[in-house]
Protein backbone atom coordinates (compact mmCIF):
# COMPACT_ATOMS: atom_id res chain seq x y z
CA UNK A 1 0.00 0.00 0.00
CA UNK A 2 1.42 3.37 -0.96
CA UNK A 3 1.78 5.83 1.88
CA UNK A 4 3.02 9.34 2.48
CA UNK A 5 4.14 10.98 5.72
CA UNK A 6 2.18 14.19 6.47
CA UNK A 7 -1.56 14.62 6.45
CA UNK A 8 -2.00 18.06 4.96
CA UNK A 9 0.91 18.06 2.54
CA UNK A 10 -0.24 17.23 -0.95
CA UNK A 11 2.80 15.01 -1.55
CA UNK A 12 2.98 13.43 1.90
CA UNK A 13 0.09 12.20 4.06
CA UNK A 14 -0.07 9.39 6.60
CA UNK A 15 -1.90 6.27 5.58
CA UNK A 16 -3.49 4.04 8.26
CA UNK A 17 -2.96 0.30 8.29
CA UNK A 18 -4.88 -2.29 10.29
CA UNK A 19 -1.79 -4.27 11.26
CA UNK A 20 1.87 -3.62 11.92
CA UNK A 21 3.67 -2.82 8.65
CA UNK A 22 6.40 -5.00 7.24
CA UNK A 23 8.92 -2.17 7.44
CA UNK A 24 9.60 -0.81 10.91
CA UNK A 25 10.85 2.74 11.44
CA UNK A 26 12.34 2.22 14.90
CA UNK A 27 12.01 -0.23 17.73
CA UNK A 28 10.23 2.51 19.67
CA UNK A 29 7.20 2.78 17.43
CA UNK A 30 5.12 0.47 19.59
CA UNK A 31 5.40 2.82 22.57
CA UNK A 32 3.96 5.68 20.56
CA UNK A 33 1.52 3.62 18.53
CA UNK A 34 -1.04 2.70 21.17
CA UNK A 35 -3.81 1.95 18.72
CA UNK A 36 -3.94 -0.94 16.24
CA UNK A 37 -3.96 1.54 13.38
CA UNK A 38 -0.55 2.55 12.04
CA UNK A 39 0.42 5.10 9.43
CA UNK A 40 3.26 4.63 6.96
CA UNK A 41 5.79 6.94 5.34
CA UNK A 42 6.18 6.95 1.58
CA UNK A 43 9.09 4.50 1.99
CA UNK A 44 6.83 2.02 3.78
CA UNK A 45 8.17 2.54 7.29
CA UNK A 46 5.85 2.98 10.25
CA UNK A 47 5.72 6.66 11.15
CA UNK A 48 7.16 7.79 14.44
CA UNK A 49 5.53 9.44 16.27
CA UNK A 50 2.19 8.03 15.19
CA UNK A 51 -0.20 10.90 14.32
CA UNK A 52 -3.77 11.12 15.58
CA UNK A 53 -5.10 11.12 12.05
CA UNK A 54 -8.38 12.95 12.57
CA UNK A 55 -7.22 15.56 15.08
CA UNK A 56 -6.44 18.93 13.52
CA UNK A 57 -4.83 20.01 16.80
CA UNK A 58 -2.10 17.36 16.45
CA UNK A 59 1.03 19.24 15.26
CA UNK A 60 1.96 16.29 13.04
CA UNK A 61 -1.21 17.05 11.02
CA UNK A 62 -0.56 20.74 10.52
CA UNK A 63 0.11 22.06 7.04
CA UNK A 64 3.61 22.03 5.59
CA UNK A 65 3.53 25.84 5.49
CA UNK A 66 2.79 26.15 9.20
CA UNK A 67 5.34 23.49 10.12
CA UNK A 68 8.08 25.24 8.20
CA UNK A 69 7.07 28.63 9.57
CA UNK A 70 7.59 27.17 13.04
CA UNK A 71 10.90 25.66 11.92
CA UNK A 72 12.01 29.06 10.59
CA UNK A 73 11.27 30.72 13.96
CA UNK A 74 13.23 28.04 15.83
CA UNK A 75 16.11 28.35 13.38
CA UNK A 76 16.13 32.14 13.75
CA UNK A 77 16.44 31.87 17.52
CA UNK A 78 19.08 29.15 17.21
CA UNK A 79 20.95 31.43 14.80
CA UNK A 80 21.04 34.05 17.58
CA UNK A 81 22.31 31.32 19.94
CA UNK A 82 25.80 31.71 18.50
CA UNK A 83 25.45 35.02 16.67
CA UNK A 84 25.40 36.95 19.96
CA UNK A 85 28.61 35.18 20.97
CA UNK A 86 30.78 35.92 17.94
CA UNK A 87 29.38 39.10 16.40
CA UNK A 88 31.50 41.17 18.80
CA UNK A 89 34.82 39.61 17.70
CA UNK A 90 35.73 42.31 15.10
CA UNK A 91 35.03 44.94 17.79
CA UNK A 92 37.65 43.57 20.18
CA UNK A 93 40.03 46.56 19.77
CA UNK A 94 37.20 49.04 20.46
CA UNK A 95 36.06 47.02 23.49
CA UNK A 96 39.62 46.91 24.78
CA UNK A 97 39.82 50.68 24.56
CA UNK A 98 36.42 51.30 26.16
CA UNK A 99 36.94 48.97 29.11
CA UNK A 100 40.75 49.34 29.44
CA UNK A 101 41.02 45.55 29.23
CA UNK A 102 43.62 43.14 27.84
CA UNK A 103 42.99 41.04 24.74
CA UNK A 104 42.71 37.94 26.93
CA UNK A 105 40.03 39.64 29.06
CA UNK A 106 38.09 40.67 25.96
CA UNK A 107 38.37 37.10 24.68
CA UNK A 108 36.50 36.07 27.83
CA UNK A 109 33.52 38.14 26.64
CA UNK A 110 33.01 35.36 24.06
CA UNK A 111 33.27 32.70 26.75
CA UNK A 112 30.80 34.20 29.23
CA UNK A 113 27.68 34.04 27.00
CA UNK A 114 28.68 30.44 26.22
CA UNK A 115 28.48 29.78 29.97
CA UNK A 116 24.89 31.10 29.94
CA UNK A 117 24.16 28.95 26.90
CA UNK A 118 25.54 25.94 28.77
CA UNK A 119 23.61 26.41 32.02
CA UNK A 120 20.37 27.62 30.41
CA UNK A 121 19.16 24.26 29.04
CA UNK A 122 19.21 22.83 32.58
CA UNK A 123 17.06 25.74 33.73
CA UNK A 124 14.49 25.82 30.92
CA UNK A 125 13.82 22.14 30.06
CA UNK A 126 11.47 21.12 32.88
CA UNK A 127 9.30 24.27 32.66
CA UNK A 128 8.98 23.64 28.91
CA UNK A 129 7.66 20.14 29.66
CA UNK A 130 5.22 21.53 32.24
CA UNK A 131 3.72 24.75 30.86
CA UNK A 132 4.73 24.20 27.26
CA UNK A 133 7.29 25.21 24.66
CA UNK A 134 5.73 28.51 23.62
CA UNK A 135 5.88 30.46 26.93
CA UNK A 136 9.46 29.33 27.60
CA UNK A 137 10.70 30.41 24.18
CA UNK A 138 8.94 33.76 24.50
CA UNK A 139 10.26 34.38 28.01
CA UNK A 140 13.79 33.37 27.05
CA UNK A 141 13.79 35.67 24.02
CA UNK A 142 12.53 38.54 26.17
CA UNK A 143 15.38 37.96 28.66
CA UNK A 144 17.91 37.91 25.83
CA UNK A 145 16.47 41.12 24.39
CA UNK A 146 16.69 42.94 27.73
CA UNK A 147 20.25 41.67 28.29
CA UNK A 148 21.31 42.78 24.81
CA UNK A 149 20.08 46.29 25.48
CA UNK A 150 22.02 46.15 28.74
CA UNK A 151 25.19 45.10 26.88
CA UNK A 152 24.81 48.04 24.48
CA UNK A 153 24.55 50.47 27.41
CA UNK A 154 26.99 48.83 29.86
CA UNK A 155 29.44 51.47 31.23
CA UNK A 156 31.85 49.00 32.87
CA UNK A 157 33.52 45.69 32.04
CA UNK A 158 31.77 43.75 34.87
CA UNK A 159 28.39 45.13 33.76
CA UNK A 160 29.11 44.18 30.16
CA UNK A 161 30.11 40.65 31.22
CA UNK A 162 26.92 40.25 33.30
CA UNK A 163 24.79 41.34 30.33
CA UNK A 164 26.61 38.92 28.06
CA UNK A 165 25.90 36.04 30.46
CA UNK A 166 22.16 36.78 30.47
CA UNK A 167 22.19 37.06 26.69
CA UNK A 168 23.32 33.45 26.56
CA UNK A 169 20.91 32.35 29.28
CA UNK A 170 17.96 33.94 27.47
CA UNK A 171 18.72 32.48 24.04
CA UNK A 172 19.60 29.02 25.42
CA UNK A 173 16.07 27.47 25.07
CA UNK A 174 16.72 27.48 21.31
CA UNK A 175 18.79 24.33 21.84
CA UNK A 176 16.84 21.71 23.75
CA UNK A 177 13.38 23.35 23.76
CA UNK A 178 13.81 24.36 20.12
CA UNK A 179 14.64 20.82 19.12
CA UNK A 180 11.66 19.58 21.13
CA UNK A 181 9.44 21.81 18.99
CA UNK A 182 10.95 20.35 15.82
CA UNK A 183 10.31 16.84 17.14
CA UNK A 184 6.74 17.86 18.01
CA UNK A 185 5.87 18.86 14.43
CA UNK A 186 7.99 16.57 12.24
CA UNK A 187 8.27 12.80 11.88
CA UNK A 188 11.40 10.78 12.70
CA UNK A 189 12.08 9.90 9.07
CA UNK A 190 12.47 13.63 8.36
CA UNK A 191 14.86 14.08 11.28
CA UNK A 192 18.11 14.19 9.33
CA UNK A 193 16.98 17.01 7.08
CA UNK A 194 15.32 19.07 9.83
CA UNK A 195 18.21 18.56 12.23
CA UNK A 196 20.57 19.52 9.42
CA UNK A 197 18.74 22.82 8.99
CA UNK A 198 18.65 23.33 12.75
CA UNK A 199 22.42 22.73 12.98
CA UNK A 200 22.91 25.00 9.97
CA UNK A 201 21.28 27.81 11.94
CA UNK A 202 23.69 27.54 14.86
CA UNK A 203 26.71 27.22 12.58
CA UNK A 204 25.67 30.16 10.41
CA UNK A 205 25.06 32.30 13.49
CA UNK A 206 28.57 31.48 14.65
CA UNK A 207 30.09 32.42 11.30
CA UNK A 208 27.88 35.27 10.09
CA UNK A 209 28.24 36.96 13.48
CA UNK A 210 31.76 38.26 12.84
CA UNK A 211 30.98 39.09 9.20
CA UNK A 212 27.97 41.21 10.08
CA UNK A 213 29.57 42.55 13.24
CA UNK A 214 32.57 43.77 11.29
CA UNK A 215 30.49 46.00 9.05
CA UNK A 216 28.10 47.16 11.78
CA UNK A 217 31.05 48.20 13.96
CA UNK A 218 31.84 50.91 11.42
CA UNK A 219 28.91 52.80 12.93
CA UNK A 220 30.29 52.22 16.43
CA UNK A 221 30.78 49.01 18.36
CA UNK A 222 27.60 49.67 20.39
CA UNK A 223 25.61 49.13 17.21
CA UNK A 224 26.74 45.51 17.15
CA UNK A 225 24.55 45.00 20.23
CA UNK A 226 21.75 47.26 18.99
CA UNK A 227 21.44 45.18 15.81
CA UNK A 228 21.26 42.02 17.92
CA UNK A 229 18.49 43.67 19.94
CA UNK A 230 16.56 44.49 16.77
CA UNK A 231 16.87 40.89 15.53
CA UNK A 232 15.73 39.49 18.87
CA UNK A 233 12.76 41.87 18.92
CA UNK A 234 11.67 40.63 15.48
CA UNK A 235 11.97 37.01 16.63
CA UNK A 236 9.98 37.81 19.77
CA UNK A 237 7.14 39.25 17.69
CA UNK A 238 7.21 36.21 15.39
CA UNK A 239 7.00 33.88 18.40
CA UNK A 240 4.03 35.73 19.84
CA UNK A 241 2.13 35.84 16.53
CA UNK A 242 3.12 32.66 14.65
CA UNK A 243 4.32 30.09 17.20
CA UNK A 244 1.48 28.02 18.72
CA UNK A 245 2.02 25.54 21.52
CA UNK A 246 3.36 22.27 20.07
CA UNK A 247 3.52 20.02 23.15
CA UNK A 248 0.67 17.58 22.51
CA UNK A 249 -0.75 14.85 24.82
CA UNK A 250 -0.03 12.16 22.25
CA UNK A 251 -0.35 9.07 24.40
CA UNK A 252 -3.69 10.17 25.83
CA UNK A 253 -5.14 11.12 22.46
CA UNK A 254 -3.98 7.89 20.81
CA UNK A 255 -5.38 5.81 23.65
CA UNK A 256 -8.87 7.24 23.22
CA UNK A 257 -9.50 4.86 20.36
CA UNK A 258 -8.56 3.64 16.91
CA UNK A 259 -11.01 5.91 15.14
CA UNK A 260 -10.66 9.43 16.51
CA UNK A 261 -13.64 11.42 15.33
CA UNK A 262 -13.44 15.18 14.92
CA UNK A 263 -15.33 15.57 18.21
CA UNK A 264 -12.98 13.33 20.17
CA UNK A 265 -10.89 15.07 22.79
CA UNK A 266 -12.72 18.38 22.42
CA UNK A 267 -12.92 18.67 26.19
CA UNK A 268 -9.10 18.72 26.43
CA UNK A 269 -7.43 22.06 25.77
CA UNK A 270 -4.33 21.45 23.67
CA UNK A 271 -1.96 23.19 21.22
CA UNK A 272 -3.91 25.89 19.32
CA UNK A 273 -6.85 25.75 21.75
CA UNK A 274 -4.71 26.90 24.67
CA UNK A 275 -4.97 30.50 25.76
CA UNK A 276 -2.71 33.09 24.14
CA UNK A 277 -0.86 33.69 27.39
CA UNK A 278 -1.22 30.25 28.98
CA UNK A 279 1.33 29.57 31.72
CA UNK A 280 -0.57 26.79 33.51
CA UNK A 281 0.56 23.14 33.37
CA UNK A 282 -0.72 21.61 30.16
CA UNK A 283 -3.56 19.13 30.66
CA UNK A 284 -3.52 15.49 29.59
CA UNK A 285 0.13 14.75 30.46
CA UNK A 286 2.26 13.67 33.39
CA UNK A 287 4.65 16.54 33.98
CA UNK A 288 8.22 16.28 35.30
CA UNK A 289 9.25 17.85 38.57
CA UNK A 290 11.10 21.14 38.27
CA UNK A 291 14.39 19.54 39.22
CA UNK A 292 13.97 16.50 36.94
CA UNK A 293 16.06 18.11 34.20
CA UNK A 294 19.11 18.11 36.46
CA UNK A 295 18.40 14.58 37.64
CA UNK A 296 18.05 13.31 34.08
CA UNK A 297 21.18 15.17 33.02
CA UNK A 298 23.12 13.22 35.65
CA UNK A 299 21.41 9.95 34.67
CA UNK A 300 22.28 10.53 31.00
CA UNK A 301 25.91 9.75 31.79
CA UNK A 302 24.81 6.13 32.22
CA UNK A 303 23.73 5.89 28.59
CA UNK A 304 27.11 5.47 26.97
CA UNK A 305 26.20 6.11 23.35
CA UNK A 306 24.97 9.58 24.31
CA UNK A 307 27.73 10.56 26.73
CA UNK A 308 30.54 9.14 24.60
CA UNK A 309 29.26 10.58 21.32
CA UNK A 310 28.53 14.03 22.73
CA UNK A 311 31.73 14.37 24.79
CA UNK A 312 33.86 13.16 21.89
CA UNK A 313 32.31 15.63 19.50
CA UNK A 314 32.29 18.61 21.86
CA UNK A 315 35.75 18.23 23.39
CA UNK A 316 37.61 16.62 20.52
CA UNK A 317 36.07 18.41 17.59
CA UNK A 318 33.52 21.20 17.92
CA UNK A 319 35.35 23.55 20.28
CA UNK A 320 37.97 24.26 17.61
CA UNK A 321 35.32 26.53 16.03
CA UNK A 322 35.95 29.06 18.80
CA UNK A 323 39.71 28.68 18.24
CA UNK A 324 39.30 29.68 14.62
CA UNK A 325 36.69 32.40 15.10
CA UNK A 326 38.43 34.22 17.95
CA UNK A 327 41.90 34.06 16.35
CA UNK A 328 41.03 35.60 12.98
CA UNK A 329 41.74 39.16 14.26
CA UNK A 330 45.13 38.00 15.56
CA UNK A 331 45.98 35.97 12.45
CA UNK A 332 45.15 38.72 9.95
CA UNK A 333 45.30 41.82 12.14
CA UNK A 334 48.51 43.25 10.71
CA UNK A 335 47.58 42.67 7.07
CA UNK A 336 43.89 43.56 7.36
CA UNK A 337 43.40 45.72 10.46
CA UNK A 338 39.93 46.99 9.46
CA UNK A 339 37.13 45.24 11.34
CA UNK A 340 34.83 44.97 8.32
CA UNK A 341 37.58 43.39 6.20
CA UNK A 342 38.27 40.89 8.95
CA UNK A 343 34.58 40.05 8.90
CA UNK A 344 34.84 39.13 5.22
CA UNK A 345 37.52 36.58 6.10
CA UNK A 346 34.80 34.35 7.54
CA UNK A 347 33.25 33.84 4.09
CA UNK A 348 35.17 30.60 3.52
CA UNK A 349 33.61 29.10 6.65
CA UNK A 350 30.15 30.21 5.54
CA UNK A 351 30.53 28.78 2.02
CA UNK A 352 31.82 25.44 3.30
CA UNK A 353 29.00 25.17 5.82
CA UNK A 354 26.32 25.90 3.23
CA UNK A 355 27.75 23.49 0.65
CA UNK A 356 27.98 20.78 3.29
CA UNK A 357 24.34 21.20 4.32
CA UNK A 358 23.06 21.25 0.74
CA UNK A 359 25.07 18.27 -0.51
CA UNK A 360 26.38 16.20 2.38
CA UNK A 361 24.38 16.62 5.54
CA UNK A 362 20.76 16.20 6.69
CA UNK A 363 18.96 15.05 3.55
CA UNK A 364 21.85 12.78 2.57
CA UNK A 365 21.78 11.30 6.08
CA UNK A 366 18.08 10.44 5.71
CA UNK A 367 18.78 8.89 2.29
CA UNK A 368 21.64 6.77 3.64
CA UNK A 369 19.51 5.49 6.52
CA UNK A 370 16.70 4.40 4.19
CA UNK A 371 19.10 2.65 1.81
CA UNK A 372 20.97 0.88 4.60
CA UNK A 373 17.72 -0.16 6.31
CA UNK A 374 16.45 -1.84 3.15
CA UNK A 375 19.64 -3.91 3.02
CA UNK A 376 19.35 -4.73 6.74
CA UNK A 377 16.09 -6.66 6.77
CA UNK A 378 14.22 -3.35 6.67
CA UNK A 379 15.48 -2.39 10.12
CA UNK A 380 16.84 1.08 10.88
CA UNK A 381 19.51 1.56 13.53
CA UNK A 382 20.86 4.81 15.02
CA UNK A 383 24.40 3.82 14.03
CA UNK A 384 23.46 4.31 10.38
CA UNK A 385 23.62 8.05 11.14
CA UNK A 386 27.34 7.83 11.87
CA UNK A 387 28.62 7.14 8.36
CA UNK A 388 28.90 10.84 7.55
CA UNK A 389 30.97 11.51 10.68
CA UNK A 390 34.10 9.93 9.17
CA UNK A 391 34.52 12.21 6.13
CA UNK A 392 33.42 15.09 8.33
CA UNK A 393 36.30 14.51 10.77
CA UNK A 394 38.80 14.22 7.92
CA UNK A 395 37.62 17.48 6.34
CA UNK A 396 37.80 19.24 9.71
CA UNK A 397 41.36 18.03 10.35
CA UNK A 398 42.56 19.00 6.87
CA UNK A 399 41.08 22.48 7.19
CA UNK A 400 42.76 23.03 10.57
CA UNK A 401 46.20 21.94 9.35
CA UNK A 402 46.08 24.00 6.16
CA UNK A 403 44.91 27.12 7.98
CA UNK A 404 47.57 26.92 10.68
CA UNK A 405 50.34 26.52 8.11
CA UNK A 406 48.95 29.30 5.92
CA UNK A 407 49.16 31.82 8.76
CA UNK A 408 52.70 30.98 9.88
CA UNK A 409 53.96 30.83 6.29
CA UNK A 410 52.19 34.01 5.25
CA UNK A 411 50.32 32.40 2.36
CA UNK A 412 47.73 34.33 0.35
CA UNK A 413 44.49 34.75 2.28
CA UNK A 414 42.65 32.58 -0.27
CA UNK A 415 44.57 29.55 0.99
CA UNK A 416 43.05 30.28 4.38
CA UNK A 417 39.61 30.60 2.81
CA UNK A 418 39.90 27.15 1.22
CA UNK A 419 40.98 25.78 4.59
CA UNK A 420 38.01 27.48 6.24
CA UNK A 421 35.65 25.95 3.66
CA UNK A 422 36.94 22.45 4.44
CA UNK A 423 36.73 23.10 8.17
CA UNK A 424 33.21 24.56 7.97
CA UNK A 425 31.96 21.66 5.86
CA UNK A 426 33.38 19.15 8.34
CA UNK A 427 31.86 20.84 11.39
CA UNK A 428 28.41 21.11 9.81
CA UNK A 429 28.38 17.50 8.63
CA UNK A 430 29.74 16.17 11.92
CA UNK A 431 27.34 18.18 14.06
CA UNK A 432 24.35 16.91 12.09
CA UNK A 433 25.59 13.30 12.28
CA UNK A 434 26.12 13.35 16.06
CA UNK A 435 22.83 15.16 16.83
CA UNK A 436 20.87 12.77 14.63
CA UNK A 437 22.59 9.79 16.21
CA UNK A 438 21.84 10.61 19.84
CA UNK A 439 18.26 11.60 19.04
CA UNK A 440 17.68 8.37 17.09
CA UNK A 441 19.27 6.36 19.91
CA UNK A 442 16.69 7.59 22.45
CA UNK A 443 13.79 9.12 20.49
CA UNK A 444 11.45 9.01 23.49
CA UNK A 445 13.88 11.05 25.62
CA UNK A 446 14.85 13.81 23.19
CA UNK A 447 14.58 16.63 25.74
CA UNK A 448 17.08 14.90 28.03
CA UNK A 449 19.50 13.92 25.25
CA UNK A 450 19.55 17.38 23.72
CA UNK A 451 19.89 19.06 27.11
CA UNK A 452 22.99 16.93 27.66
CA UNK A 453 24.26 17.86 24.19
CA UNK A 454 23.59 21.58 24.63
CA UNK A 455 25.27 21.76 28.05
CA UNK A 456 28.40 19.99 26.85
CA UNK A 457 28.59 21.82 23.52
CA UNK A 458 28.52 25.21 25.17
CA UNK A 459 30.75 24.18 28.04
CA UNK A 460 33.40 23.36 25.45
CA UNK A 461 32.84 26.77 23.84
CA UNK A 462 33.14 28.39 27.26
CA UNK A 463 36.48 26.71 28.01
CA UNK A 464 38.21 27.21 24.63
CA UNK A 465 38.85 30.99 24.79
CA UNK A 466 40.72 30.55 28.09
CA UNK A 467 43.50 28.42 26.61
CA UNK A 468 43.69 29.11 22.88
CA UNK A 469 45.60 32.41 22.99
CA UNK A 470 48.38 31.09 25.27
CA UNK A 471 48.63 27.95 23.11
CA UNK A 472 49.22 29.99 19.95
CA UNK A 473 51.64 32.32 21.70
CA UNK A 474 53.71 29.35 22.89
CA UNK A 475 53.94 27.17 19.77
CA UNK A 476 52.54 29.20 16.86
CA UNK A 477 49.60 28.63 14.54
CA UNK A 478 51.02 25.60 12.72
CA UNK A 479 51.51 23.37 15.74
CA UNK A 480 48.46 24.66 17.56
CA UNK A 481 46.12 23.71 14.74
CA UNK A 482 48.06 20.56 13.84
CA UNK A 483 47.41 19.57 17.45
CA UNK A 484 43.72 20.35 16.95
CA UNK A 485 43.68 18.19 13.80
CA UNK A 486 45.50 15.27 15.46
CA UNK A 487 42.94 15.19 18.27
CA UNK A 488 40.03 15.28 15.81
CA UNK A 489 41.41 12.63 13.45
CA UNK A 490 43.20 10.24 15.79
CA UNK A 491 40.84 10.45 18.75
CA UNK A 492 37.38 11.20 17.34
CA UNK A 493 37.43 8.78 14.38
CA UNK A 494 38.39 5.70 16.45
CA UNK A 495 35.75 6.53 19.07
CA UNK A 496 33.10 6.93 16.37
CA UNK A 497 34.17 3.56 14.92
CA UNK A 498 33.71 1.95 18.35
CA UNK A 499 30.21 3.46 18.60
CA UNK A 500 29.47 2.28 15.09
CA UNK A 501 30.39 -1.31 15.94
CA UNK A 502 29.28 -1.59 19.55
CA UNK A 503 26.57 1.09 19.86
CA UNK A 504 23.71 -1.41 19.80
CA UNK A 505 25.39 -3.53 22.49
CA UNK A 506 26.05 -0.44 24.62
CA UNK A 507 22.39 0.58 24.41
CA UNK A 508 21.26 -2.92 25.34
CA UNK A 509 23.53 -3.00 28.39
CA UNK A 510 22.48 0.49 29.48
CA UNK A 511 18.81 -0.46 29.34
CA UNK A 512 15.96 1.94 28.70
CA UNK A 513 15.66 5.21 30.61
CA UNK A 514 13.02 5.25 33.33
CA UNK A 515 11.30 8.27 31.81
CA UNK A 516 10.00 9.45 28.45
CA UNK A 517 9.03 12.84 27.07
CA UNK A 518 5.78 14.04 28.70
CA UNK A 519 3.73 13.60 25.53
CA UNK A 520 4.36 9.83 25.78
CA UNK A 521 3.70 9.53 29.51
CA UNK A 522 0.39 8.26 30.82
CA UNK A 523 -1.56 11.16 32.29
CA UNK A 524 -2.33 11.15 35.99
Amino acid sequence: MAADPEKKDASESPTPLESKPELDDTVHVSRGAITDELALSKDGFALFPQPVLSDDLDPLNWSSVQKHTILAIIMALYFMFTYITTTTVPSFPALQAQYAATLEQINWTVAIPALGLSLGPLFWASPADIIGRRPILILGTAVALAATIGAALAPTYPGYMAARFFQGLGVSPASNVGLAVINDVFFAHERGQKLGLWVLAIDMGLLLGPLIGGFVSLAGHEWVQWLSAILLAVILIAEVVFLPETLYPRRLMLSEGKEMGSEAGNGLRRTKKLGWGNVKPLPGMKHPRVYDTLVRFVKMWKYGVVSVAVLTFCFGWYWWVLSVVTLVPIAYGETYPEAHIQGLLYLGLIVGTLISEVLCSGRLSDHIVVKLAKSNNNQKTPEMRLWLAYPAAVLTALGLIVWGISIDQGYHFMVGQVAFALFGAGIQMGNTAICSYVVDAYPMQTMATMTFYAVMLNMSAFVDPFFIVPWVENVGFTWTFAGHAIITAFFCIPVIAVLHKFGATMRERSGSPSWVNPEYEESV
Side-chain angles (χ1 to χ4, degrees), residues 331-332 335 403-413 415-416 478:
Y332 297 104
T335 309
W403 190 63
I405 294 173
S406 74
I407 300 304
D408 278 345
Q409 298 299 318
Y411 293 156
H412 192 275
F413 77 91
V415 176
T478 298

Side-chain angles (χ1 to χ4, degrees), residues 275-293:
W276 180 85
N278 179 73
V279 290
K280 296 179 180 179
L282 301 186
M285 288 172 282
K286 179 181 177 181
H287 302 107
R289 295 161 296 191
V290 173
Y291 56 83
D292 274 348
T293 298

Side-chain angles (χ1 to χ4, degrees), residues 41 73 101 107-108 145 185 266 353 355 425 429 447 455 477 496:
S41 73
I73 293 171
N107 221 32
W108 298 344
L145 174 58
V185 301
N266 273 353
T353 300
I355 291 176
M429 198 188 311
M447 183 68 86
V455 170
F477 279 87
I496 291 167

Side-chain angles (χ1 to χ4, degrees), residues 50-375:
Q50 280 288 296
V52 179
L53 294 173
S54 57
D55 187 5
D56 290 338
L57 297 177
D58 183 348
L60 293 174
N61 295 329
W62 293 349
S63 71
S64 179
V65 171
Q66 181 164 27
K67 288 185 177 187
H68 287 89
T69 299
I70 292 169
L71 176 62
I73 293 171
I74 299 302
M75 287 177 62
L77 190 60
Y78 207 35
F79 173 89
M80 297 302 296
F81 191 89
T82 47
Y83 177 88
I84 60 166
T85 304
T86 61
T87 190
T88 61
V89 171
S91 302
F92 276 6
L95 291 169
Q96 278 184 265
Q98 177 173 347
Y99 297 121
T102 66
L103 177 60
E104 189 173 10
Q105 287 176 316
I106 294 301
N107 221 32
W108 298 344
T109 67
V110 174
I112 199 67
L115 179 61
L117 293 170
S118 180
L119 297 177
L122 295 171
F123 176 77
W124 298 113
S126 285
D129 280 344
I130 297 172
I131 65 174
R133 324 298 195 201
R134 172 185 158 89
I136 295 304
L137 290 169
I138 290 174
L139 176 60
T141 305
V143 170
L145 174 58
T148 302
I149 295 172
L153 300 174
T156 64
Y157 179 77
Y160 181 75
M161 290 287 277
R164 293 283 281 162
F165 172 81
F166 282 102
Q167 277 185 297
L169 188 71
V171 174
S172 62
S175 55
N176 53 350
V177 180
L179 183 67
V181 171
I182 294 174
N183 283 337
D184 289 341
V185 301
F186 291 104
F187 294 100
H189 72 276
E190 304 168 298
R191 186 170 291 143
Q193 182 196 23
K194 306 314 174 188
L195 278 179
L197 292 171
W198 180 72
V199 169
L200 178 65
I202 187 178
D203 288 344
M204 292 304 290
L206 190 77
L207 305 176
L208 280 173
L211 173 61
I212 296 172
F215 281 95
V216 174
S217 65
L218 294 175
H221 71 87
E222 299 89 352
W223 273 99
V224 173
Q225 296 294 347
W226 286 120
L227 177 60
S228 295
I230 292 169
L231 295 174
L232 286 167
V234 171
I235 294 170
L236 181 59
I237 293 171
E239 289 171 344
V240 171
V241 177
F242 298 111
L243 180 65
E245 181 54 56
T246 62
L247 181 55
Y248 176 81
R250 186 159 309 283
R251 182 176 179 87
L252 176 65
M253 298 303 294
L254 284 169
S255 67
E256 288 195 358
K258 293 191 294 185
E259 299 295 333
M260 296 287 294
S262 59
E263 298 300 318
N266 273 353
L268 185 69
R269 295 171 63 242
R270 59 198 186 276
T271 61
K272 297 178 183 178
K273 291 294 185 181
L274 291 164
W276 180 85
N278 179 73
V279 290
K280 296 179 180 179
L282 301 186
M285 288 172 282
K286 179 181 177 181
H287 302 107
R289 295 161 296 191
V290 173
Y291 56 83
D292 274 348
T293 298
L294 184 58
V295 172
R296 292 170 183 178
F297 172 79
V298 174
K299 287 183 176 180
M300 235 340 124
W301 290 89
K302 170 187 174 183
Y303 302 100
V305 297
V306 175
S307 55
V308 171
V310 170
L311 289 173
T312 299
F313 177 69
C314 293
F315 292 98
W317 192 339
Y318 178 82
W319 61 351
W320 309 143
V321 172
L322 267 294
S323 296
V324 170
V325 169
T326 58
L327 287 179
V328 164
I330 299 174
Y332 297 104
E334 292 185 5
T335 309
Y336 304 104
E338 302 90 347
H340 62 289
I341 299 300
Q342 289 181 11
L344 291 172
L345 294 170
Y346 293 90
L347 282 173
L349 290 165
I350 295 168
V351 170
T353 300
L354 287 172
I355 291 176
S356 175
E357 176 54 33
V358 171
L359 299 179
C360 308
S361 200
R363 190 179 291 273
L364 178 59
S365 176
D366 288 338
H367 178 74
I368 290 173
V369 169
V370 170
K371 291 296 183 182
L372 290 175
K374 289 183 177 179
S375 63

